[in-house]
Amino acid sequence: KADQLTFTINDFDGETPNLINIVPKTVTAAYGTGTTGTQVEIKPKDNNPANGVYLYDLHDALPNGIPANGGTVTIRYNISANDVPMFTPISSTNDVDATKERTIVTLIPKAEGAPTKIPPVEDITTVRGLALVKKQAIDANCNTIPADTAFVTTDIKEALPGQCIVYRIEARNTSSTTALPTGLGFDITDITILDKFAQFSAYADYVTGSLTATKGTPTATTTDVSAVNFTLAAQATATMQFKVKIKPGLAAP
């Protein structure tokens, strides 16, 4: 009957930034197991609860109740992470700082003889995707590639006219190592890394032939360099690298 078997979905778990939320009109229930049964939307009793906890009544989707002899109900809902920073703080590139939030589902039986408490189900949604990091290092004589330890993400202020700066742009797929359908990892396809010369053209010149890329097709034009059209598997990294030479009489960009 109505109000005898309700459940709550709490996506306001008290943690910041609370940017991962339930998609409206996606909470459904169906009698059966797995994908069996027709999913019927269940509307929350309050569309804007003050405490952020949405209450749903299974009677709204299954007015005849749950059949006996092992009858089951499948509850589904979608989560949206649109415009959520991949890392918190946003400046991080470390997977331990990946933005994540909890969603808590609690079943509330009220009928006579029902259990007094059923442990809630807790889901953790972690934001994964494409992380982009730009690094730079000085090549004082414009004739080599600096060691990996020389590359930094901070500004370079001590470069001199006639010296080169090597830019290294890394794209990484931060999804889990185990791929779908058994895991949560996924490929990211049709990637192009692009860097426009406008950011440094007043201070430096692109060094012709310096462009390299570990994935994609390295492409240099009069206005930009790019690594074109490649795929990154879970946890894979692609690197595009090129040099610019500081113009005489000018400080580094």
Side-chain angles (χ1 to χ4, degrees):
K1 297 181 180 180
D3 297 321
Q4 285 191 338
L5 189 56
T6 61
F7 64 95
T8 59
I9 302 180
N10 178 5
D11 73 334
F12 186 76
D13 55 17
E15 299 173 352
T16 56
N18 196 45
L19 296 174
I20 301 172
N21 299 296
I22 301 168
V23 179
K25 299 182 179 181
T26 65
V27 179
T28 63
Y31 165 66
T33 58
T35 58
T36 303
T38 301
Q39 295 290 319
V40 179
E41 180 188 350
I42 309 178
K43 296 180 179 179
K45 294 301 183 182
D46 186 343
N47 288 322
N48 190 27
N51 60 358
V53 180
Y54 293 86
L55 177 67
Y56 302 86
D57 191 343
L58 278 174
H59 180 267
D60 292 346
L62 303 170
N64 295 324
I66 304 173
N69 300 321
T72 61
V73 169
T74 301
I75 298 172
R76 291 194 178 96
Y77 59 95
N78 293 348
I79 291 291
S80 171
N82 291 338
D83 302 321
V84 178
M86 192 173 304
F87 300 101
T88 303
I90 195 171
S91 58
S92 176
T93 58
N94 193 330
D95 281 351
V96 300
D97 295 324
T99 300
K100 59 176 67 70
E101 289 187 38
R102 296 178 299 154
T103 302
I104 301 167
V105 181
T106 305
L107 192 64
I108 308 170
K110 296 180 181 178
E112 182 179 354
T116 57
K117 185 175 182 181
I118 297 175
V121 174
E122 179 178 304
D123 294 325
I124 298 178
T125 301
T126 304
V127 179
R128 299 291 190 187
L130 187 66
L132 198 64
V133 179
K134 188 172 187 177
K135 302 178 181 178
Q136 51 197 356
I138 296 176
D139 174 16
N141 297 316
C142 290
N143 61 357
T144 189
I145 299 298
D148 291 344
T149 54
F151 283 85
V152 296
T153 56
T154 53
D155 291 341
I156 291 180
K157 301 183 182 297
E158 67 273 20
L160 301 174
Q163 293 184 335
C164 284
I165 295 178
V166 183
Y167 288 114
R168 178 178 292 175
I169 303 175
E170 297 174 350
R172 181 168 65 92
N173 180 348
T174 69
S175 68
S176 304
T177 53
T178 305
L180 294 169
T182 58
L184 299 178
F186 51 85
D187 291 348
I188 301 177
T189 61
D190 302 324
I191 301 170
T192 291
I193 302 174
L194 175 71
D195 202 345
K196 293 183 177 294
F197 293 159
Q199 61 164 318
F200 59 75
S201 58
Y203 304 94
D205 293 316
Y206 166 67
V207 177
T208 302
S210 65
L211 175 65
T212 61
T214 60
K215 286 184 177 292
T217 304
T219 304
T221 71
T222 58
T223 60
D224 55 58
V225 289
S226 57
V228 180
N229 194 18
F230 59 91
T231 295
L232 277 180
Q235 288 295 312
T237 298
T239 301
M240 184 181 80
Q241 185 170 279
F242 65 97
K243 288 185 183 183
V244 300
K245 188 172 185 178
I246 301 173
K247 295 178 180 179
L250 293 174

